[in-house]
Structures are given as C-alpha cells and as structure tokens.
Amino acid sequence: MPGRVEILDADVETFDALTFDADGVLVLVDFWGTNCPNCEVFARDLPSLLETLGDVPLRIVRVDAYTHDSLATRFGLFGIPTFLLVREGKLLGRMSQYHGRDWWLGVVRDHLPGEVSATPA
C-alpha cells in the first residue's frame, strides 16, 4: 500500500485524536460492522482503491459501529458503511453506503488536500 496512506482502528478513547488531530491529510472514517455485506464489499475493494489513488495524504480510521455504538450515535448514523470526511479538524461531509469504486474515488479525490484533489480518474 502507498507510503502516505495510514489505516488505523479507533475506539472511543482514540477516535478524536486519530480523526481530528491529523494535519495535512484527509481523514476518512470508515464506520463498519460484522455481517454487513456492503462493508465486506468495501473491505475487499479497499486495497485496489488505495492502489488507484497512489501516494496521497490519506488516513483511514476504521470504527466498528456495533462495538463502539456511542461513536455511531454521536454522528447520527442510520446505516453502515458510513464514511466521514475530515480535514484539518473539520468535518467536511459524509458518504452513506458504498456505491462502488468510481463514486468512492471521486468523493475522496474531491476532498484531498491541495493539488492532489485534481488527480484524474
């Protein structure tokens, strides 16, 4: 996987530091859960998605929404997977569900910091 991409698991104690204290990177929070077919599809696609993105400033923070339901409640989740987009400590938006490679890549690229966001598909 690309050197600048980090994938970290978070819990209630580590979530804010991993998500809101990351400078110079896009943080994508992946709320997932067991027995979630769409979560499994995304997890299978993730290595290929990261390869397609290349060396970009991205941190993926994974949160099991069932184990850490207080975080899911905090962000008003109604289903999983749900992805939050955070940069420089600010919540930029969310993606509800995984609607496929092109859609996910497009949203992530649009929110990457600086010049990287103009990367073609």
Side-chain angles (χ1 to χ4, degrees), residues 51-71:
E51 185 176 320
T52 299
L53 282 173
D55 187 24
V56 296
L58 176 66
R59 173 183 289 175
I60 298 174
V61 176
R62 299 186 68 231
V63 178
D64 182 334
Y66 299 139
T67 301
H68 306 293
D69 58 340
S70 64
L71 287 172

Side-chain angles (χ1 to χ4, degrees), residues 28-69:
L28 179 104
V29 179
D30 171 15
F31 281 100
W32 65 280
T34 55
N35 298 318
C36 165
N38 211 5
C39 299
E40 292 170 9
V41 171
F42 172 72
R44 273 194 312 270
D45 283 356
L46 185 58
S48 174
L49 292 167
L50 294 178
E51 185 176 320
T52 299
L53 282 173
D55 187 24
V56 296
L58 176 66
R59 173 183 289 175
I60 298 174
V61 176
R62 299 186 68 231
V63 178
D64 182 334
Y66 299 139
T67 301
H68 306 293
D69 58 340

Side-chain angles (χ1 to χ4, degrees), residues 10-30:
D11 57 26
V12 175
E13 290 78 29
T14 61
F15 181 82
D16 284 341
L18 292 175
T19 302
F20 294 106
D21 294 343
D23 292 330
V25 299
L26 174 66
V27 178
L28 179 104
V29 179
D30 171 15

